[in-house]
mmCIF file with all atom_site columns, all heavy atoms in Angstrom:
data_model
loop_
_atom_site.group_PDB
_atom_site.id
_atom_site.type_symbol
_atom_site.label_atom_id
_atom_site.label_alt_id
_atom_site.label_comp_id
_atom_site.label_asym_id
_atom_site.label_entity_id
_atom_site.label_seq_id
_atom_site.pdbx_PDB_ins_code
_atom_site.Cartn_x
_atom_site.Cartn_y
_atom_site.Cartn_z
_atom_site.occupancy
_atom_site.B_iso_or_equiv
_atom_site.pdbx_formal_charge
_atom_site.auth_seq_id
_atom_site.auth_comp_id
_atom_site.auth_asym_id
_atom_site.auth_atom_id
_atom_site.pdbx_PDB_model_num
ATOM 1   N N   . ILE Z 1 47 ? -7.625  23.232 10.497 1.00 96.00 ? 47 ILE Z N   1
ATOM 2   C CA  . ILE Z 1 47 ? -7.149  23.063 9.125  1.00 96.00 ? 47 ILE Z CA  1
ATOM 3   C C   . ILE Z 1 47 ? -7.688  24.185 8.242  1.00 96.00 ? 47 ILE Z C   1
ATOM 4   O O   . ILE Z 1 47 ? -6.981  24.707 7.384  1.00 96.00 ? 47 ILE Z O   1
ATOM 5   C CB  . ILE Z 1 47 ? -7.496  21.652 8.600  1.00 96.00 ? 47 ILE Z CB  1
ATOM 6   C CG1 . ILE Z 1 47 ? -6.535  20.646 9.262  1.00 96.00 ? 47 ILE Z CG1 1
ATOM 7   C CG2 . ILE Z 1 47 ? -7.422  21.579 7.078  1.00 96.00 ? 47 ILE Z CG2 1
ATOM 8   C CD1 . ILE Z 1 47 ? -6.702  19.216 8.877  1.00 96.00 ? 47 ILE Z CD1 1
ATOM 9   N N   . GLU Z 1 48 ? -8.914  24.585 8.485  1.00 95.00 ? 48 GLU Z N   1
ATOM 10  C CA  . GLU Z 1 48 ? -9.528  25.667 7.705  1.00 95.00 ? 48 GLU Z CA  1
ATOM 11  C C   . GLU Z 1 48 ? -8.751  26.969 7.847  1.00 95.00 ? 48 GLU Z C   1
ATOM 12  O O   . GLU Z 1 48 ? -8.659  27.753 6.916  1.00 95.00 ? 48 GLU Z O   1
ATOM 13  C CB  . GLU Z 1 48 ? -10.967 25.865 8.184  1.00 95.00 ? 48 GLU Z CB  1
ATOM 14  C CG  . GLU Z 1 48 ? -11.830 26.637 7.235  1.00 95.00 ? 48 GLU Z CG  1
ATOM 15  C CD  . GLU Z 1 48 ? -13.309 26.464 7.554  1.00 95.00 ? 48 GLU Z CD  1
ATOM 16  O OE1 . GLU Z 1 48 ? -13.661 26.262 8.732  1.00 95.00 ? 48 GLU Z OE1 1
ATOM 17  O OE2 . GLU Z 1 48 ? -14.099 26.546 6.609  1.00 95.00 ? 48 GLU Z OE2 1
ATOM 18  N N   . ARG Z 1 49 ? -8.159  27.195 9.015  1.00 96.00 ? 49 ARG Z N   1
ATOM 19  C CA  . ARG Z 1 49 ? -7.402  28.429 9.277  1.00 96.00 ? 49 ARG Z CA  1
ATOM 20  C C   . ARG Z 1 49 ? -5.990  28.387 8.711  1.00 96.00 ? 49 ARG Z C   1
ATOM 21  O O   . ARG Z 1 49 ? -5.307  29.406 8.686  1.00 96.00 ? 49 ARG Z O   1
ATOM 22  C CB  . ARG Z 1 49 ? -7.326  28.700 10.784 1.00 96.00 ? 49 ARG Z CB  1
ATOM 23  C CG  . ARG Z 1 49 ? -8.628  29.214 11.370 1.00 96.00 ? 49 ARG Z CG  1
ATOM 24  C CD  . ARG Z 1 49 ? -8.439  29.726 12.787 1.00 96.00 ? 49 ARG Z CD  1
ATOM 25  N NE  . ARG Z 1 49 ? -7.934  28.730 13.719 1.00 96.00 ? 49 ARG Z NE  1
ATOM 26  C CZ  . ARG Z 1 49 ? -8.699  27.898 14.450 1.00 96.00 ? 49 ARG Z CZ  1
ATOM 27  N NH1 . ARG Z 1 49 ? -10.014 27.958 14.359 1.00 96.00 ? 49 ARG Z NH1 1
ATOM 28  N NH2 . ARG Z 1 49 ? -8.156  27.035 15.283 1.00 96.00 ? 49 ARG Z NH2 1
ATOM 29  N N   . SER Z 1 50 ? -5.524  27.224 8.283  1.00 95.00 ? 50 SER Z N   1
ATOM 30  C CA  . SER Z 1 50 ? -4.152  27.150 7.785  1.00 95.00 ? 50 SER Z CA  1
ATOM 31  C C   . SER Z 1 50 ? -4.038  27.825 6.418  1.00 95.00 ? 50 SER Z C   1
ATOM 32  O O   . SER Z 1 50 ? -5.039  28.040 5.730  1.00 95.00 ? 50 SER Z O   1
ATOM 33  C CB  . SER Z 1 50 ? -3.673  25.695 7.725  1.00 95.00 ? 50 SER Z CB  1
ATOM 34  O OG  . SER Z 1 50 ? -4.415  24.989 6.776  1.00 95.00 ? 50 SER Z OG  1
ATOM 35  N N   . ILE Z 1 51 ? -2.826  28.168 6.041  1.00 95.00 ? 51 ILE Z N   1
ATOM 36  C CA  . ILE Z 1 51 ? -2.581  28.889 4.793  1.00 95.00 ? 51 ILE Z CA  1
ATOM 37  C C   . ILE Z 1 51 ? -3.004  28.042 3.589  1.00 95.00 ? 51 ILE Z C   1
ATOM 38  O O   . ILE Z 1 51 ? -3.607  28.546 2.660  1.00 95.00 ? 51 ILE Z O   1
ATOM 39  C CB  . ILE Z 1 51 ? -1.088  29.290 4.679  1.00 95.00 ? 51 ILE Z CB  1
ATOM 40  C CG1 . ILE Z 1 51 ? -0.750  30.282 5.797  1.00 95.00 ? 51 ILE Z CG1 1
ATOM 41  C CG2 . ILE Z 1 51 ? -0.782  29.891 3.307  1.00 95.00 ? 51 ILE Z CG2 1
ATOM 42  C CD1 . ILE Z 1 51 ? 0.722   30.530 5.990  1.00 95.00 ? 51 ILE Z CD1 1
ATOM 43  N N   . ARG Z 1 52 ? -2.673  26.759 3.624  1.00 96.00 ? 52 ARG Z N   1
ATOM 44  C CA  . ARG Z 1 52 ? -3.056  25.847 2.539  1.00 96.00 ? 52 ARG Z CA  1
ATOM 45  C C   . ARG Z 1 52 ? -3.829  24.682 3.145  1.00 96.00 ? 52 ARG Z C   1
ATOM 46  O O   . ARG Z 1 52 ? -3.251  23.650 3.467  1.00 96.00 ? 52 ARG Z O   1
ATOM 47  C CB  . ARG Z 1 52 ? -1.809  25.327 1.826  1.00 96.00 ? 52 ARG Z CB  1
ATOM 48  C CG  . ARG Z 1 52 ? -1.012  26.468 1.220  1.00 96.00 ? 52 ARG Z CG  1
ATOM 49  C CD  . ARG Z 1 52 ? -0.425  26.270 -0.136 1.00 96.00 ? 52 ARG Z CD  1
ATOM 50  N NE  . ARG Z 1 52 ? -1.160  25.506 -1.099 1.00 96.00 ? 52 ARG Z NE  1
ATOM 51  C CZ  . ARG Z 1 52 ? -0.580  24.679 -1.948 1.00 96.00 ? 52 ARG Z CZ  1
ATOM 52  N NH1 . ARG Z 1 52 ? 0.709   24.491 -1.934 1.00 96.00 ? 52 ARG Z NH1 1
ATOM 53  N NH2 . ARG Z 1 52 ? -1.300  24.033 -2.837 1.00 96.00 ? 52 ARG Z NH2 1
ATOM 54  N N   . PRO Z 1 53 ? -5.139  24.849 3.320  1.00 97.00 ? 53 PRO Z N   1
ATOM 55  C CA  . PRO Z 1 53 ? -5.928  23.808 3.986  1.00 97.00 ? 53 PRO Z CA  1
ATOM 56  C C   . PRO Z 1 53 ? -5.847  22.432 3.321  1.00 97.00 ? 53 PRO Z C   1
ATOM 57  O O   . PRO Z 1 53 ? -5.782  21.422 4.016  1.00 97.00 ? 53 PRO Z O   1
ATOM 58  C CB  . PRO Z 1 53 ? -7.353  24.343 3.958  1.00 97.00 ? 53 PRO Z CB  1
ATOM 59  C CG  . PRO Z 1 53 ? -7.317  25.691 3.377  1.00 97.00 ? 53 PRO Z CG  1
ATOM 60  C CD  . PRO Z 1 53 ? -5.932  26.003 2.945  1.00 97.00 ? 53 PRO Z CD  1
ATOM 61  N N   . ALA Z 1 54 ? -5.823  22.390 2.004  1.00 97.00 ? 54 ALA Z N   1
ATOM 62  C CA  . ALA Z 1 54 ? -5.757  21.088 1.326  1.00 97.00 ? 54 ALA Z CA  1
ATOM 63  C C   . ALA Z 1 54 ? -4.457  20.366 1.677  1.00 97.00 ? 54 ALA Z C   1
ATOM 64  O O   . ALA Z 1 54 ? -4.450  19.173 1.972  1.00 97.00 ? 54 ALA Z O   1
ATOM 65  C CB  . ALA Z 1 54 ? -5.891  21.261 -0.177 1.00 97.00 ? 54 ALA Z CB  1
ATOM 66  N N   . LYS Z 1 55 ? -3.358  21.109 1.674  1.00 97.00 ? 55 LYS Z N   1
ATOM 67  C CA  . LYS Z 1 55 ? -2.052  20.521 2.023  1.00 97.00 ? 55 LYS Z CA  1
ATOM 68  C C   . LYS Z 1 55 ? -2.053  20.087 3.486  1.00 97.00 ? 55 LYS Z C   1
ATOM 69  O O   . LYS Z 1 55 ? -1.547  19.012 3.826  1.00 97.00 ? 55 LYS Z O   1
ATOM 70  C CB  . LYS Z 1 55 ? -0.945  21.554 1.753  1.00 97.00 ? 55 LYS Z CB  1
ATOM 71  C CG  . LYS Z 1 55 ? 0.452   21.101 2.141  1.00 97.00 ? 55 LYS Z CG  1
ATOM 72  C CD  . LYS Z 1 55 ? 1.048   20.173 1.104  1.00 97.00 ? 55 LYS Z CD  1
ATOM 73  C CE  . LYS Z 1 55 ? 2.497   19.851 1.387  1.00 97.00 ? 55 LYS Z CE  1
ATOM 74  N NZ  . LYS Z 1 55 ? 2.717   18.579 2.037  1.00 97.00 ? 55 LYS Z NZ  1
ATOM 75  N N   . ALA Z 1 56 ? -2.627  20.906 4.351  1.00 97.00 ? 56 ALA Z N   1
ATOM 76  C CA  . ALA Z 1 56 ? -2.703  20.562 5.776  1.00 97.00 ? 56 ALA Z CA  1
ATOM 77  C C   . ALA Z 1 56 ? -3.491  19.268 5.978  1.00 97.00 ? 56 ALA Z C   1
ATOM 78  O O   . ALA Z 1 56 ? -3.098  18.410 6.772  1.00 97.00 ? 56 ALA Z O   1
ATOM 79  C CB  . ALA Z 1 56 ? -3.333  21.706 6.562  1.00 97.00 ? 56 ALA Z CB  1
ATOM 80  N N   . LEU Z 1 57 ? -4.590  19.112 5.225  1.00 98.00 ? 57 LEU Z N   1
ATOM 81  C CA  . LEU Z 1 57 ? -5.382  17.887 5.342  1.00 98.00 ? 57 LEU Z CA  1
ATOM 82  C C   . LEU Z 1 57 ? -4.594  16.683 4.836  1.00 98.00 ? 57 LEU Z C   1
ATOM 83  O O   . LEU Z 1 57 ? -4.564  15.639 5.489  1.00 98.00 ? 57 LEU Z O   1
ATOM 84  C CB  . LEU Z 1 57 ? -6.702  18.001 4.573  1.00 98.00 ? 57 LEU Z CB  1
ATOM 85  C CG  . LEU Z 1 57 ? -7.543  16.717 4.548  1.00 98.00 ? 57 LEU Z CG  1
ATOM 86  C CD1 . LEU Z 1 57 ? -7.926  16.277 5.961  1.00 98.00 ? 57 LEU Z CD1 1
ATOM 87  C CD2 . LEU Z 1 57 ? -8.779  16.888 3.688  1.00 98.00 ? 57 LEU Z CD2 1
ATOM 88  N N   . LEU Z 1 58 ? -3.934  16.816 3.694  1.00 98.00 ? 58 LEU Z N   1
ATOM 89  C CA  . LEU Z 1 58 ? -3.149  15.694 3.156  1.00 98.00 ? 58 LEU Z CA  1
ATOM 90  C C   . LEU Z 1 58 ? -2.031  15.299 4.123  1.00 98.00 ? 58 LEU Z C   1
ATOM 91  O O   . LEU Z 1 58 ? -1.782  14.109 4.332  1.00 98.00 ? 58 LEU Z O   1
ATOM 92  C CB  . LEU Z 1 58 ? -2.583  16.036 1.775  1.00 98.00 ? 58 LEU Z CB  1
ATOM 93  C CG  . LEU Z 1 58 ? -3.619  16.200 0.662  1.00 98.00 ? 58 LEU Z CG  1
ATOM 94  C CD1 . LEU Z 1 58 ? -2.953  16.651 -0.625 1.00 98.00 ? 58 LEU Z CD1 1
ATOM 95  C CD2 . LEU Z 1 58 ? -4.409  14.920 0.446  1.00 98.00 ? 58 LEU Z CD2 1
ATOM 96  N N   . ASP Z 1 59 ? -1.375  16.288 4.714  1.00 97.00 ? 59 ASP Z N   1
ATOM 97  C CA  . ASP Z 1 59 ? -0.330  16.002 5.713  1.00 97.00 ? 59 ASP Z CA  1
ATOM 98  C C   . ASP Z 1 59 ? -0.921  15.270 6.912  1.00 97.00 ? 59 ASP Z C   1
ATOM 99  O O   . ASP Z 1 59 ? -0.339  14.312 7.424  1.00 97.00 ? 59 ASP Z O   1
ATOM 100 C CB  . ASP Z 1 59 ? 0.344   17.295 6.189  1.00 97.00 ? 59 ASP Z CB  1
ATOM 101 C CG  . ASP Z 1 59 ? 1.214   17.935 5.111  1.00 97.00 ? 59 ASP Z CG  1
ATOM 102 O OD1 . ASP Z 1 59 ? 1.541   17.261 4.109  1.00 97.00 ? 59 ASP Z OD1 1
ATOM 103 O OD2 . ASP Z 1 59 ? 1.565   19.117 5.281  1.00 97.00 ? 59 ASP Z OD2 1
ATOM 104 N N   . ASP Z 1 60 ? -2.094  15.719 7.353  1.00 97.00 ? 60 ASP Z N   1
ATOM 105 C CA  . ASP Z 1 60 ? -2.766  15.102 8.487  1.00 97.00 ? 60 ASP Z CA  1
ATOM 106 C C   . ASP Z 1 60 ? -3.136  13.643 8.171  1.00 97.00 ? 60 ASP Z C   1
ATOM 107 O O   . ASP Z 1 60 ? -2.898  12.749 8.976  1.00 97.00 ? 60 ASP Z O   1
ATOM 108 C CB  . ASP Z 1 60 ? -4.028  15.895 8.843  1.00 97.00 ? 60 ASP Z CB  1
ATOM 109 C CG  . ASP Z 1 60 ? -4.808  15.250 9.971  1.00 97.00 ? 60 ASP Z CG  1
ATOM 110 O OD1 . ASP Z 1 60 ? -4.397  15.434 11.142 1.00 97.00 ? 60 ASP Z OD1 1
ATOM 111 O OD2 . ASP Z 1 60 ? -5.802  14.556 9.695  1.00 97.00 ? 60 ASP Z OD2 1
ATOM 112 N N   . LEU Z 1 61 ? -3.688  13.423 6.983  1.00 97.00 ? 61 LEU Z N   1
ATOM 113 C CA  . LEU Z 1 61 ? -4.072  12.059 6.601  1.00 97.00 ? 61 LEU Z CA  1
ATOM 114 C C   . LEU Z 1 61 ? -2.842  11.165 6.487  1.00 97.00 ? 61 LEU Z C   1
ATOM 115 O O   . LEU Z 1 61 ? -2.882  10.002 6.884  1.00 97.00 ? 61 LEU Z O   1
ATOM 116 C CB  . LEU Z 1 61 ? -4.860  12.078 5.279  1.00 97.00 ? 61 LEU Z CB  1
ATOM 117 C CG  . LEU Z 1 61 ? -6.234  12.756 5.336  1.00 97.00 ? 61 LEU Z CG  1
ATOM 118 C CD1 . LEU Z 1 61 ? -6.847  12.823 3.936  1.00 97.00 ? 61 LEU Z CD1 1
ATOM 119 C CD2 . LEU Z 1 61 ? -7.166  12.049 6.304  1.00 97.00 ? 61 LEU Z CD2 1
ATOM 120 N N   . ALA Z 1 62 ? -1.745  11.719 5.976  1.00 97.00 ? 62 ALA Z N   1
ATOM 121 C CA  . ALA Z 1 62 ? -0.502  10.945 5.875  1.00 97.00 ? 62 ALA Z CA  1
ATOM 122 C C   . ALA Z 1 62 ? 0.000   10.556 7.262  1.00 97.00 ? 62 ALA Z C   1
ATOM 123 O O   . ALA Z 1 62 ? 0.427   9.412  7.482  1.00 97.00 ? 62 ALA Z O   1
ATOM 124 C CB  . ALA Z 1 62 ? 0.558   11.740 5.118  1.00 97.00 ? 62 ALA Z CB  1
ATOM 125 N N   . CYS Z 1 63 ? -0.068  11.489 8.208  1.00 96.00 ? 63 CYS Z N   1
ATOM 126 C CA  . CYS Z 1 63 ? 0.351   11.205 9.591  1.00 96.00 ? 63 CYS Z CA  1
ATOM 127 C C   . CYS Z 1 63 ? -0.517  10.122 10.232 1.00 96.00 ? 63 CYS Z C   1
ATOM 128 O O   . CYS Z 1 63 ? -0.042  9.363  11.073 1.00 96.00 ? 63 CYS Z O   1
ATOM 129 C CB  . CYS Z 1 63 ? 0.292   12.467 10.451 1.00 96.00 ? 63 CYS Z CB  1
ATOM 130 S SG  . CYS Z 1 63 ? 1.602   13.623 10.078 1.00 96.00 ? 63 CYS Z SG  1
ATOM 131 N N   . ARG Z 1 64 ? -1.761  10.064 9.821  1.00 96.00 ? 64 ARG Z N   1
ATOM 132 C CA  . ARG Z 1 64 ? -2.687  9.058  10.352 1.00 96.00 ? 64 ARG Z CA  1
ATOM 133 C C   . ARG Z 1 64 ? -2.592  7.735  9.587  1.00 96.00 ? 64 ARG Z C   1
ATOM 134 O O   . ARG Z 1 64 ? -3.389  6.830  9.782  1.00 96.00 ? 64 ARG Z O   1
ATOM 135 C CB  . ARG Z 1 64 ? -4.123  9.582  10.296 1.00 96.00 ? 64 ARG Z CB  1
ATOM 136 C CG  . ARG Z 1 64 ? -4.367  10.764 11.226 1.00 96.00 ? 64 ARG Z CG  1
ATOM 137 C CD  . ARG Z 1 64 ? -5.759  11.340 10.975 1.00 96.00 ? 64 ARG Z CD  1
ATOM 138 N NE  . ARG Z 1 64 ? -5.974  12.580 11.699 1.00 96.00 ? 64 ARG Z NE  1
ATOM 139 C CZ  . ARG Z 1 64 ? -6.553  12.657 12.897 1.00 96.00 ? 64 ARG Z CZ  1
ATOM 140 N NH1 . ARG Z 1 64 ? -6.966  11.566 13.508 1.00 96.00 ? 64 ARG Z NH1 1
ATOM 141 N NH2 . ARG Z 1 64 ? -6.713  13.820 13.483 1.00 96.00 ? 64 ARG Z NH2 1
ATOM 142 N N   . GLU Z 1 65 ? -1.618  7.676  8.663  1.00 96.00 ? 65 GLU Z N   1
ATOM 143 C CA  . GLU Z 1 65 ? -1.334  6.484  7.864  1.00 96.00 ? 65 GLU Z CA  1
ATOM 144 C C   . GLU Z 1 65 ? -2.504  6.058  6.983  1.00 96.00 ? 65 GLU Z C   1
ATOM 145 O O   . GLU Z 1 65 ? -2.747  4.872  6.756  1.00 96.00 ? 65 GLU Z O   1
ATOM 146 C CB  . GLU Z 1 65 ? -0.841  5.333  8.750  1.00 96.00 ? 65 GLU Z CB  1
ATOM 147 C CG  . GLU Z 1 65 ? 0.452   5.700  9.462  1.00 96.00 ? 65 GLU Z CG  1
ATOM 148 C CD  . GLU Z 1 65 ? 1.028   4.576  10.312 1.00 96.00 ? 65 GLU Z CD  1
ATOM 149 O OE1 . GLU Z 1 65 ? 0.386   3.521  10.455 1.00 96.00 ? 65 GLU Z OE1 1
ATOM 150 O OE2 . GLU Z 1 65 ? 2.135   4.785  10.829 1.00 96.00 ? 65 GLU Z OE2 1
ATOM 151 N N   . ILE Z 1 66 ? -3.246  7.066  6.495  1.00 96.00 ? 66 ILE Z N   1
ATOM 152 C CA  . ILE Z 1 66 ? -4.278  6.800  5.491  1.00 96.00 ? 66 ILE Z CA  1
ATOM 153 C C   . ILE Z 1 66 ? -3.529  6.497  4.195  1.00 96.00 ? 66 ILE Z C   1
ATOM 154 O O   . ILE Z 1 66 ? -2.643  7.254  3.794  1.00 96.00 ? 66 ILE Z O   1
ATOM 155 C CB  . ILE Z 1 66 ? -5.208  8.028  5.318  1.00 96.00 ? 66 ILE Z CB  1
ATOM 156 C CG1 . ILE Z 1 66 ? -5.955  8.328  6.618  1.00 96.00 ? 66 ILE Z CG1 1
ATOM 157 C CG2 . ILE Z 1 66 ? -6.160  7.835  4.143  1.00 96.00 ? 66 ILE Z CG2 1
ATOM 158 C CD1 . ILE Z 1 66 ? -6.876  7.245  7.111  1.00 96.00 ? 66 ILE Z CD1 1
ATOM 159 N N   . THR Z 1 67 ? -3.861  5.388  3.549  1.00 96.00 ? 67 THR Z N   1
ATOM 160 C CA  . THR Z 1 67 ? -3.152  5.009  2.321  1.00 96.00 ? 67 THR Z CA  1
ATOM 161 C C   . THR Z 1 67 ? -3.644  5.822  1.132  1.00 96.00 ? 67 THR Z C   1
ATOM 162 O O   . THR Z 1 67 ? -4.720  6.427  1.175  1.00 96.00 ? 67 THR Z O   1
ATOM 163 C CB  . THR Z 1 67 ? -3.349  3.513  2.001  1.00 96.00 ? 67 THR Z CB  1
ATOM 164 O OG1 . THR Z 1 67 ? -4.741  3.302  1.701  1.00 96.00 ? 67 THR Z OG1 1
ATOM 165 C CG2 . THR Z 1 67 ? -2.909  2.621  3.150  1.00 96.00 ? 67 THR Z CG2 1
#
Side-chain angles (χ1 to χ4, degrees):
I47 285 180
E48 197 164 30
R49 285 191 301 271
S50 66
I51 296 167
R52 300 221 36 218
K55 177 79 173 99
L57 175 60
L58 293 175
D59 290 345
D60 177 79
L61 293 175
C63 287
R64 294 173 188 266
E65 299 183 354
I66 297 298
T67 65

